[in-house]
Amino acid sequence: MNAPAKPRLAVWKFASCDGCQLSLLDCEDELLAVADGVEIALFPEASSRMLPGPYDVSLVEGSITTAHDRERIQDVRAQSRLLVTIGACATAGGIQALRNLRDVEEWKRIVYARPDWIDSLATSTPIAAHVKVDYELRGCPVSKAQLLELLAALLAGRRPNVATSSVCEECKARGTACVLVAHGTPCLGPVTQAGCGAICPAYDRGCYGCFGPKETPNPAALSEQLLALGMDRAALGRFYRTFNAAAPAFGDEAQRHDPQP
Ligand code: SF4
Ligand code: SF4
């Protein structure tokens, strides 16, 4: 009797730095177990073997920044039973969504010797703005532990157990003293989704919000604290915009303090 076919996995790249795909490769030993449970049908970062769809699970890294990618994501969706976005680029437009606040044509003229060779949309948008997404995994980059949990859950047909609490809870869990309270260091941890293990506060730095807004965040309350600490409104706007400028909870709060056209 033939063994049952393994679920087919595809990993796709859009506008991104490859860091989230590298998180998957960085799983090393665990990746072998994953590879045993699935058929890695398409993962150009890891292998030149590229099998045609359809795919059971597609992991999508990166945001939509070109007309070509806007069409390509439709094709990826059509070939995928489940589509999972991984990382701040794919879930919130990423650092490159800062372009949404500026004139991209002007930036192209400043940055590139031949701006006429650059084919780019005026905006960087998350994948969910273009196609239905079945699950979003946050972070810049994503957490290895959350990525493995997600893959294990998808293979077992259960709901992934990924935290939706804040980075503050991770600080408490590891016994880190609060840098905001103890030193007055600006920190986005109270409004940021857990997943990084509160690594920045553990090194006496405030959280930069890589994992994006937590469920039901209250950035207005945090902003009052940060303003009371002496942060000016322009800096507050930049603080919220860094990695997840196109995530509404952060983008709207940034806009409230530092309006951009
Ligand atoms: S989310 Fe961060 S690490 Fe992942 S691809 Fe985008 S820039 Fe790179
Ligand atoms: S250091 Fe930041 S993330 Fe940690 S408990 Fe304080 S406010 Fe929360």
Side-chain angles (χ1 to χ4, degrees):
M1 199 170 83
N2 290 337
K6 293 179 181 176
R8 307 184 81 230
L9 177 75
V11 185
W12 306 89
K13 173 184 165 63
F14 287 78
S16 58
C17 80
D18 289 25
C20 289
Q21 292 185 78
L22 288 175
S23 292
L24 181 56
L25 287 174
D26 197 28
C27 292
E28 297 177 350
D29 291 349
E30 298 95 330
L31 189 58
L32 292 177
V34 169
D36 204 36
V38 300
E39 179 185 15
I40 300 179
L42 184 138
F43 190 1
E45 180 96 1
S47 168
S48 56
R49 190 180 82 135
M50 290 187 258
L51 303 178
Y55 309 101
D56 292 289
V57 179
S58 277
L59 301 179
V60 178
E61 175 197 83
S63 66
I64 302 298
T65 60
T66 67
H68 175 250
D69 278 355
R70 194 170 51 191
E71 289 178 16
R72 191 161 65 95
I73 191 62
Q74 300 294 337
D75 187 44
V76 170
R77 176 70 267 187
Q79 297 185 72
S80 310
R81 187 169 64 81
L82 292 174
L83 190 153
V84 177
T85 48
I86 55 170
C89 297
T91 60
I95 295 171
Q96 58 271 31
L98 292 170
R99 74 165 63 183
N100 303 0
L101 305 165
R102 291 287 184 272
D103 176 358
V104 169
E105 294 307 314
E106 184 188 349
W107 278 12
K108 278 159 58 173
R109 284 194 297 276
I110 294 169
V111 173
Y112 296 103
R114 291 295 306 267
D116 53 315
W117 287 2
I118 306 300
D119 175 18
S120 175
L121 296 172
T123 55
S124 168
T125 42
I127 300 299
H130 300 268
V131 295
K132 175 176 174 283
V133 169
D134 297 294
Y135 200 85
E136 291 189 326
L137 206 56
R138 310 276 197 76
C140 183
V142 289
S143 133
K144 284 195 321 187
Q146 289 190 347
L147 190 53
L148 288 168
E149 161 59 16
L150 175 82
L151 288 172
L154 294 177
L155 288 174
R158 62 171 171 82
R159 186 177 175 78
N161 181 15
V162 173
T164 54
S165 52
S166 72
V167 176
C168 291
E169 289 197 21
E170 297 189 301
C171 264
K172 303 303 173 215
R174 66 186 291 167
T176 300
C178 176
V179 299
L180 183 66
V181 172
H183 311 299
T185 304
C187 181
L188 287 178
V191 294
T192 299
Q193 185 183 297
C196 62
I199 191 166
C200 287
Y203 287 90
D204 276 338
R205 306 188 325 166
C207 164
Y208 289 89
C210 314
F211 276 64
K214 68 182 277 286
E215 263 184 9
T216 61
N218 187 352
L222 177 63
S223 297
E224 290 309 310
Q225 292 297 317
L226 297 176
L227 290 169
L229 285 172
M231 198 174 209
D232 65 49
R233 290 186 186 274
L236 193 50
R238 287 196 298 275
F239 203 30
Y240 282 109
R241 285 185 178 118
T242 312
F243 295 98
N244 288 278
F250 282 7
D252 293 351
E253 185 65 9
Q255 194 69 5
R256 202 163 71 82
H257 296 282
D258 180 35
Q260 299 291 324

